[in-house]
Every structure is written in structure tokens, then in C-alpha cells.
Amino acid sequence: MKKPANFMLNRIWIFPLLIVLALLAFFSLEDMVTPKDAVASREPAGSAVFVPPPHIEEVRAEVTVISDLIYEEDSGALLDLYIPATLDEPVPVILWIHGGGYVGGSKDSRRDYAMTLAHDGYLVANMDYSLAPEQLYPGPIFQANAALEYLQKHAADFGGDMNRVFIGGDSAGAQIASQLSAVISNSGLADRMEIMPAIDPEKLRGAILFCGLYNMATVSDTGFPNIDYFLNNYTGTAAFESFIDLEELSTVRHVTPYFPDTFISVGDGDPLAPQSVELAKAIRSQGIAVETMFFEGSEKNLQHEFQYALDTLDAQETLSKTLNFLSINSR
């Protein structure tokens, strides 16, 4: 018997529909069986969109860039130098350390921000470091110290004054920057880690710390996305809490009266905000000057690394206060 015409039409379109449904099922299954950690972002979840400041073309025209200088021969680790195009006298030096959960990120993503700092009258060294899990803790601390040693030898050749040094960073880079600041200012920690600081404490004029993690005993309580993944990879453990040297990473435990004056910034919507509040309290307890931008109670809901979205008023205000901190502490 002849099939009705509408039945034949149904058979024509049903096959494409079955193909589409099969593809949807495949991708849904792939998402279910792929561990979330295996596809964890190379930048921590919630990172800001990186947007340069409105005057970036002026910055680029007035800052000299020297890229990919090898600061550590053994690893071939690189840094970039950003230098004001016109120098009348030696300028303070800033070492900037990028974030990325210890497993990702690079100096290139911080280029516009670091150049903006340089444009205001600083020699900025924007460094890369070897990433976890290939490079485990304390490798990045030693590399950051090696970058300082390189600058101690060569910064003057580019117009830098190593008697006025700042160390800054964001997220994981802020933790590295804070720990290196503690190593320089706390001989007990330096001895424990068997590291010889590249500069003397009096040359370290300040630390600039954005949205970092500073207490490993409480960091899991923040609920920061993938925090276990990042720290497990960094420490080379299945559970970072069991890492034998974990206490070394908790900068709140190593602040002394010789820790540098500090500028700390974090968004009110950043899960890591309590870590910055805790560090600021620890630093103040030692009688050290701390300037903060926490936006507490503002209900702005500023997310992790909002500081890099320089098309926004909040990031621009934070940049302005960062530059003011640098200016005051450079005198």
C-alpha cells in the first residue's frame, strides 16, 4: 500500500534531527566524563577582562620596551623591561609578577598595565616564571629573587635605581610577591628556605598586592574556584593541606617590623577578599603602613582582578591610588 505523502516527508526530516540529537548527546556526555580540574582555566575563574587605559596610545609612544631578556640562565626565564622614553635621572624599579593560579598566565597579559606604571616614571620589570606542575614550589620564589638579582646587576644600565625597589603582583603573583617581600625582610624565613635575598630590606620600598592568597590554613574556606587544583599542582601533592612546607606560603605568618609598606587591593565580590583583609591586619599589627582598597560595603561586586579592566572607573581609581602609593614611597 502506498504511504501517505506526509509520512514520507517526516522520514526526510527525521534523519537530520537524529544526527543533531546524537551530537548533542555526545558533547553532553563528554562534559560529564571530563573532570572539571582537567579543563580548569589557565587564569583563575572570574579574572577581569584585560582592558588598557584610555590613554594607552600615549603610553606606548612614551615608553621604551626591551623584550625577552634572560634573567635566569639555567631555566631561560624571561622578563621585559618598560622604561620611560625620557629619563633625566634614575627612576625607581618595580618587579611585577603575573597571576594565573601558578599553572598559567604570562607577562604578556600584564604588558599594558606594567607599561602604564612605567609611563608614570618607573622602570618596570615584567617577569615570567616556570609554571606548575612542571615547576613546583618554591621554584617561582627563587626565580623572582633571581629576577631581582638580574636587576641589581643591570637596572642601572637602563636608568633604574635599585635603592628604590617595589615588588608587585596579582592573584598567585601577589602571593609570590608577598612571600618574596617576607623573605627579604625576615631573615628567619630566608634561612628556612635557604635563599639569599638579592636585595637588602632597606632597598625594598613597598609591596603592591592585588587579590592574592596569604593564609593557606584558611584559603579553602574562601570557596575560590579551583583553589585546590591550583595549590595541589603548585605543591605537587594530592591535597595541598598535607604539604610539609605549606606554612612558608602563608605570608600572614612571616610579617615582621621590617616588612615593606604595602598597598593591598581586592574587589568586594572576590572570594579571596578575606585573605587581603587578614594580611592587612597582620601588617598593621607590626606598625607598618598599609593602604587598602577593598570596597567593603560598596555592593559593587567587583570581581577577581578587576584592577586590569582599566576602562572602568573603579580600576582607574585603584590605579591612581597605586601610583600615589608609589610616588610617596619613592621619596
Side-chain angles (χ1 to χ4, degrees):
M1 184 173 68
K2 186 177 180 180
K3 302 290 185 183
N6 62 342
F7 178 81
M8 297 303 294
L9 289 173
N10 287 345
R11 293 192 65 179
I12 291 171
W13 62 257
I14 198 168
F15 290 110
L17 176 61
L18 289 173
I19 292 172
V20 170
L21 290 174
L23 288 171
L24 288 173
F26 172 78
F27 287 116
S28 296
L29 178 62
E30 182 182 43
D31 184 61
M32 286 189 290
V33 300
T34 302
K36 292 300 181 183
D37 284 350
V39 292
S41 172
R42 299 294 277 179
E43 293 285 344
S47 294
V49 175
F50 290 78
V51 181
H55 66 302
I56 188 60
E57 293 307 322
E58 175 188 339
V59 168
R60 290 170 180 162
E62 297 178 1
V63 170
T64 300
V65 178
I66 303 175
S67 299
D68 296 335
L69 296 170
I70 297 175
Y71 70 82
E72 186 181 56
E73 292 293 338
D74 290 345
S75 67
L78 304 174
L79 59 77
D80 296 341
L81 292 181
Y82 311 135
I83 312 160
T86 303
L87 286 178
D88 297 323
E89 59 185 8
V91 295
V93 175
I94 303 171
L95 176 65
W96 197 264
I97 308 172
H98 71 80
Y102 307 104
V103 302
S106 75
K107 60 183 174 61
D108 296 338
S109 64
R110 276 60 172 177
R111 183 184 179 97
D112 286 341
Y113 188 87
M115 288 179 67
T116 301
L117 297 179
H119 186 254
D120 212 63
Y122 302 91
L123 186 155
V124 179
N126 182 23
M127 64 171 282
D128 268 339
Y129 51 91
S130 302
L131 302 174
E134 290 75 21
Q135 167 80 293
L136 299 177
Y137 173 84
I141 307 299
F142 279 81
Q143 286 186 299
N145 191 57
L148 281 181
E149 185 175 2
Y150 176 89
L151 292 170
Q152 185 80 303
K153 294 176 181 177
H154 301 289
D157 299 337
F158 302 100
D161 178 5
M162 286 299 289
N163 289 311
R164 294 179 291 167
V165 176
F166 297 85
I167 302 174
D170 61 273
S171 196
Q175 188 280 319
I176 295 169
S178 71
Q179 189 174 347
L180 181 58
S181 297
V183 165
I184 293 168
S185 57
N186 182 338
S187 60
L189 178 61
D191 290 344
R192 172 176 167 177
M193 294 182 63
E194 298 182 350
I195 184 170
M196 177 65 70
I199 63 172
D200 296 328
E202 60 270 16
K203 294 183 178 181
L204 182 56
R205 296 292 190 90
I208 302 168
L209 307 175
F210 293 165
C211 49
L213 50 158
Y214 312 108
N215 187 344
M216 300 305 133
T218 58
V219 70
S220 287
D221 297 337
T222 66
F224 189 82
N226 295 317
I227 190 63
D228 289 352
Y229 171 79
F230 297 130
L231 287 170
N232 290 352
N233 274 276
Y234 187 41
T235 58
T237 61
F240 75 88
E241 294 91 345
S242 65
F243 182 55
I244 190 170
D245 293 321
L246 187 66
E247 196 264 348
E248 291 176 3
L249 283 76
S250 294
T251 306
V252 294
R253 307 294 184 208
H254 305 296
V255 176
T256 71
Y258 304 104
F259 198 83
D261 291 350
T262 307
F263 179 85
I264 307 177
S265 173
V266 69
D268 62 314
D270 188 336
L272 291 177
Q275 296 274 299
S276 289
V277 173
E278 186 176 356
L279 179 62
K281 182 178 179 181
I283 296 173
R284 287 194 179 105
S285 72
Q286 297 293 328
I288 302 160
V290 183
E291 184 173 350
T292 62
M293 287 199 72
F294 293 160
F295 298 91
E296 291 175 305
S298 69
E299 298 185 357
K300 290 177 178 287
N301 197 31
L302 297 173
Q303 297 299 302
H304 192 65
E305 296 187 334
F306 79 91
Q307 297 92 343
Y308 291 120
L310 286 168
D311 58 339
T312 67
L313 292 178
D314 294 311
Q316 291 171 9
E317 180 185 4
T318 303
L319 172 62
S320 177
K321 292 194 175 182
T322 302
L323 292 172
N324 185 62
F325 170 83
L326 287 165
S327 176
I328 291 173
N329 286 275
S330 294
R331 296 169 187 166

